[in-house]
Amino acid sequence: MPRFLTATPDARLITLPWDVPLSSWPDDRLVALPRGISRHVVRFIWVGDEVYAAKEVIEHLAFHEYRLLQDLARLDTPAVDPIGVVTGRYAPDGTPLDPILLTRHLRFALPYRSLFTSGVRAETVGRLIDALVVLLVRLHLVGFHWGDVSLSNTLFRRDAGEFAAYLVDAETGELHPSLSNGQREHDLELARVNLFGEFLDLRASDQLDASIDPEALIDQIEARYRDLWAELTGAEEFDESQMHRVDSRVRRLNSLGFDVAELDITTDIDGTSVRIQPKVVDAGHHSRRLLRLTGLDTEEHQARRLLNDLDSFRARTDQQGADEALVAHQWLTECFELVVSSVPAHLLGKRDAAQIYHEFLDYRWFRSEAAGEEVPIEVAAQGYVDDILTRLPDEARLPGGA
């Protein structure tokens, strides 16, 4: 009988065929979802109505990664959600089998290869790079040394017009109170080597447009990382007559999607020079505000887009002086929920609700521009479903075997 280490006990796990190597599990236990490249056997499995990712890996790595993912979850860092580790597995003939690490399938998340097709635009590649850079910076801010930075160890979710990146493989990671410059530089060097190889592989398989230079992409990643790290952590000096720069610094960080939890402000002895440096920054400025106002839990760029629409709704309905929470509830029922509820149940696997609403806003704008007047929300919602959503691939889950 196998042993289960889990913080969320699930009796449905007991009946699964743990005495069978993961590579030989029956199709009726598996879910056909895009998988990235992995050095281990990985499968998506049904557990009741839930989908878990199962990875067969040696015992000490399974426990190490499980604990790390738990720590990252407590730190609210973008990573897959750990479920547990299954040990004590033996085949019917008594042959020992490696443990299995279970994580919750991240709905609507895709490996990078699923996002690359022949002729993919350079802007799309740039958005993926930006998402990976933000993920790496967020990991470094909480003291996580990745040790194997790559696209293969990352999942991407659509985030309005951008992407959000999630860490999916933490077996080489280490968590420290903070990282030294040397540790951060080590991760950057690993990123250069691993990503360059992945981009060359994409080019060799005609999945990377010939106009995109892999070496230039790598330089772009390093430059964007250094710029974002400097903005989030760098010191800034000015004289007393420029105290407005304190507020400007906070606003710049907010615009990047970060809140300043602690700001170190010092003055020199004669009080003529001021030095400010963010000490603690928390990602998720817009998503936290949207969650507080509406209860919607979204990615950061999605939250920014929805908040902009909420502000537009307030202006259109002439409620500038009204209580923000009341206006948000009205917007939620009259706009967001009206659009999402117009989507047939069988199409809800195409995109998550926030992404549907973002794409609907784009669709309604283009329809209104073409018509020379604003298209009613009900008409635009039905048009988006008919013209756009029905033609999109399903990114939640696919029935059948892997």
Side-chain angles (χ1 to χ4, degrees), residues 329-401:
H329 177 73
Q330 188 179 350
W331 169 85
L332 185 67
T333 56
E334 296 182 14
C335 298
F336 183 85
E337 291 179 350
L338 187 154
V339 171
V340 174
S341 65
S342 69
V343 177
H346 69 281
L347 295 180
L348 290 175
K350 302 284 187 178
R351 298 285 191 267
D352 66 67
Q355 186 67 22
I356 284 173
Y357 194 77
H358 157 73
E359 294 180 2
F360 155 78
L361 290 176
D362 283 346
Y363 176 84
R364 187 185 188 191
W365 183 85
F366 282 112
R367 280 281 302 269
S368 298
E369 284 289 296
E373 60 182 6
E374 187 168 71
V375 175
I377 188 170
E378 296 87 350
V379 174
Q382 189 58 53
Y384 166 73
V385 170
D386 295 339
D387 299 340
I388 305 296
L389 194 59
T390 55
R391 304 178 185 181
L392 296 177
D394 192 313
E395 293 185 353
R397 67 175 67 164
L398 300 175

Side-chain angles (χ1 to χ4, degrees), residues 296-323:
L296 296 174
D297 189 4
T298 70
E299 301 290 354
E300 184 66 11
H301 290 287
Q302 291 172 341
R304 187 199 302 259
R305 185 72 191 278
L306 269 58
L307 286 168
N308 286 341
D309 191 61
L310 170 57
D311 291 338
S312 297
F313 175 80
R314 177 196 287 269
R316 289 197 309 271
T317 56
D318 195 23
Q319 299 186 75
Q320 301 290 8
D323 180 85

Side-chain angles (χ1 to χ4, degrees), residues 2 13 62 161 164 167-168 179 196-197 217 240 244 246 260 282 333 361:
L13 292 172
L167 180 142
V168 70
L179 294 185
F196 186 66
L217 289 177
E240 278 193 321
H244 64 277
V246 176
V260 181
D282 296 324
T333 56
L361 290 176

Side-chain angles (χ1 to χ4, degrees), residues 198-210:
E198 288 171 325
F199 286 134
L200 288 180
D201 188 41
L202 287 169
R203 170 174 281 184
S205 58
D206 292 327
Q207 292 179 284
L208 190 68
D209 192 274

Side-chain angles (χ1 to χ4, degrees), residues 285-299:
H285 171 75
H286 299 97
S287 57
R288 277 194 293 270
R289 180 182 169 218
L290 184 67
L291 182 63
R292 174 176 56 82
L293 288 173
T294 67
L296 296 174
D297 189 4
T298 70
E299 301 290 354

Side-chain angles (χ1 to χ4, degrees), residues 102-162:
L102 295 173
T103 57
R104 193 182 309 278
H105 168 57
L106 186 62
R107 294 190 76 227
F108 301 103
L110 298 168
Y112 76 100
R113 285 181 172 273
S114 297
L115 296 165
F116 279 87
T117 56
S118 181
V120 65
R121 294 183 302 171
E123 304 94 276
T124 302
V125 179
R127 293 187 186 107
L128 289 172
I129 287 173
D130 285 342
L132 182 62
V133 167
V134 171
L135 173 62
L136 184 57
V137 167
R138 289 188 63 178
L139 291 171
H140 285 177
L141 285 172
V142 300
F144 184 81
H145 178 244
W146 196 339
D148 194 12
V149 185
S150 70
L151 292 171
S152 297
N153 291 335
T154 310
L155 288 175
F156 295 91
R157 295 180 70 181
R158 298 184 191 278
D159 182 10
E162 309 295 329

Side-chain angles (χ1 to χ4, degrees), residues 202-234:
L202 287 169
R203 170 174 281 184
S205 58
D206 292 327
Q207 292 179 284
L208 190 68
D209 192 274
S211 64
I212 300 176
D213 179 10
E215 190 168 350
L217 289 177
I218 299 305
D219 292 339
Q220 187 178 344
I221 290 170
E222 184 172 352
R224 292 186 181 183
Y225 172 91
R226 297 192 188 284
D227 288 345
L228 182 56
W229 185 263
E231 185 64 54
L232 294 176
T233 65

